[in-house]
Amino acid sequence: MKKIIILLLAILIFSCKQENKKVAVEQNLILASVKKEIVKESVIVDSAMVVSAKEEASKIGIQILKNGGNAFDAMVATELALAVSFPVAGNIAGGGFMIYRTIEGEIGALDYREKAPIHASRNMYLDEDGDFISNKSKVGALAVGVPGTIAGIFAVHKKLGSLPIEQIIAPVIALATNGYFLTEQQAKRITYFKASFLKTNNSESLYTKEYKTGDTIKNIALANTLKRISENGRAEFYQGETGKAIVDFLQSKNGIISMEDLNAYEAEWRAPIVFSYKDLRIISMSPPSSGGICLAQILKFIEPYPIKSYGHNSTKTIQILTEAERRAYADRSFYLGDPDFIDIPMDELISDEYLKGRMDNFSFDKATSSDSLSYGIIPGYESDETTHYSIVDKFGNAIAVTTTLNAAFGSKLYSNKLGFFFNNEMDDFSSKPGEPNMYGLIGGKANAIDPQKRMLSSMTPTLVEKDGAFWMTLGTPGGATIITSVLQTILNVYEFDMDMQQAVDAPRFHHQWFPDIIRFEPNSFPKDSLNYLKIKGYQVIENNSIILGKVDGIRILPNGKLEGGADRRGDDTAVGY
Ligand code: DON
């Protein structure tokens, strides 16, 4: 009997390890490995710029700006162009967040995050013994959250756009019809996922064909879907022929999304998280993303320390950032979730008084252990492959948008009729308290599944003002590492005097409370530094097991020109004029 139990345990541990390894490989394929040999120069232009994960999308965004559109028109076009030319993360059946700042200095945040279906339930991913069936929240129709992207772009267009929607969507329809260029990274990813597409869909599709670098992919089904959306507007997706086709398709795959879910979906305008770091004013995403609050906490934790004098990626800088990240992610897992469902003590979480106490037990002599540290106590509080693009137009409007299907190609479900992949955003919920999701993030009641609730995100589209004027727009994919990648990029420019391209390219590291390890980009940090940190009690890993963001951003230079940073880790491209 003892032998059988040991054998079963060994099988369980082995299968968990295999699962983690698979997830890690998948995550890396979203972003691809570090291309060390590439040293990019910042692109500098006079008037307007789009930086996105794919050249075709950046070019379409710029075309809209050149034709008299504003940053919001370009947002709609770039978002849809990414759905065509960067299907690993660009989407029309996913969701995202946008932060904006107009030339008049008005700021705002749009939440077009997916929602749990009406028929979702707290334990939908648990078996009869209460154990988490990890695959169920990640692959196939049950993993799909009610999509928000089309509601998002129409909300942006209605409130802030200037050109007719047909004019904005026309170049995207042309891109889907004429085809997009397949880069080496894309060809590799599609080849890698082919078996998974076949298994999930049980049928051949556009993305189960054999492809090689340089091929052109024409997606006529998506071109037709986009034509209908262009003609019939938002309702086409949530009430019309496309909506009905979505529901039929998902239900045929045992999904639970209904017309009622699509009809009920609304994108929400929210107040962004606004805070200061030294003389910067930072505007970032509010819940249901954890991005803004965590970024604010981390920057405020480190503000009293002279990190410029410690130096970029020095052990002291790594220690202070790690300890700040540890504490912020501990709060994230306890306090944060969908603000429409839970009370979040937002002001308290980023107040100086609360934050000061949280770092009291930090010392440069020894790592704090995550086991010894929990979320902070707030008196009176009762408990309980993503892609980013940045746009600045000639008028001075600026936006930061992060949008996702969650994993690479989301749930892997692909509708041949409609021409797109569906998200697997349901995995961002905490399916069981303490059970890690795809990004190793743990959570509790605040982020538990409830019908119609939005799952907690780490997406951190961010704008920064300096001396009262717009200074920078940035963001990144990378799951849990999004927040720390945005953080390090801002610090690279502001504290360590890098230009925008150097700042996005610089090697990064990440800590998220649990697991209690600092993850470093491989072969990018001196062995001496890693050894020193180990002596201080930090666990470090430096292998390919984690993605560390793919940051895209734009900064305004003192002479008024725009400087783009398009991460060397991907096919990202800055285009401007
Ligand atoms: O919302 C979130 O935090 C995740 N769904 C983001 C996923 C992501 O960044 C994947 N890309 N690498």
Side-chain angles (χ1 to χ4, degrees), residues 368-546:
T368 309
S369 133
S370 288
D371 283 326
S372 71
L373 181 126
S374 185
Y375 53 87
I377 303 298
I378 294 182
Y381 177 79
E382 298 213 3
S383 54
D384 160 66
E385 188 117 310
T386 305
T387 188
H388 175 86
Y389 55 95
S390 287
I391 302 179
V392 177
D393 66 19
K394 65 176 180 200
F395 311 108
N397 300 301
I399 63 166
V401 183
T402 314
T403 178
T404 191
L405 288 167
N406 195 22
F409 304 100
S411 62
K412 318 290 187 273
L413 262 193
Y414 179 87
S415 160
N416 281 326
K417 183 169 169 189
L418 299 168
F420 55 77
F421 285 98
F422 288 86
N423 71 79
N424 66 340
E425 221 70 60
M426 291 297 284
D427 188 63
D428 273 348
F429 277 117
S430 173
S431 294
K432 186 181 171 184
E435 193 71 53
N437 74 359
M438 185 189 310
Y439 303 102
L441 290 166
I442 51 178
K445 210 165 154 193
N447 188 34
I449 305 172
D450 274 313
Q452 299 252 283
K453 188 176 176 184
R454 286 168 153 96
M455 51 300 276
L456 183 62
S457 172
S458 301
M459 291 192 273
T460 314
T462 298
L463 301 178
V464 186
E465 290 176 7
K466 200 174 175 191
D467 304 325
F470 166 68
W471 183 55
M472 188 188 284
T473 160
L474 80 165
T476 179
T481 70
I482 289 176
I483 301 163
T484 55
S485 297
V486 168
L487 165 81
Q488 288 168 79
T489 308
I490 295 173
L491 295 176
N492 287 349
V493 179
Y494 183 72
E495 298 282 8
F496 304 119
D497 302 323
M498 294 184 198
D499 69 29
M500 199 66 217
Q501 188 60 47
Q502 291 165 338
V504 305
D505 284 349
R508 292 189 277 264
F509 60 92
H510 171 77
H511 194 286
Q512 61 180 47
W513 184 42
F514 280 109
D516 189 353
I517 40 180
I518 316 178
R519 297 161 195 268
F520 289 92
E521 272 185 310
N523 309 318
S524 307
F525 288 78
K527 290 279 170 272
D528 285 352
S529 300
L530 303 187
N531 287 337
Y532 176 86
L533 291 164
K534 282 184 202 159
I535 291 166
K536 293 286 171 194
Y538 292 94
Q539 290 189 61
V540 306
I541 57 164
E542 199 208 4
N543 54 28
N544 262 319
S545 67
I546 186 79

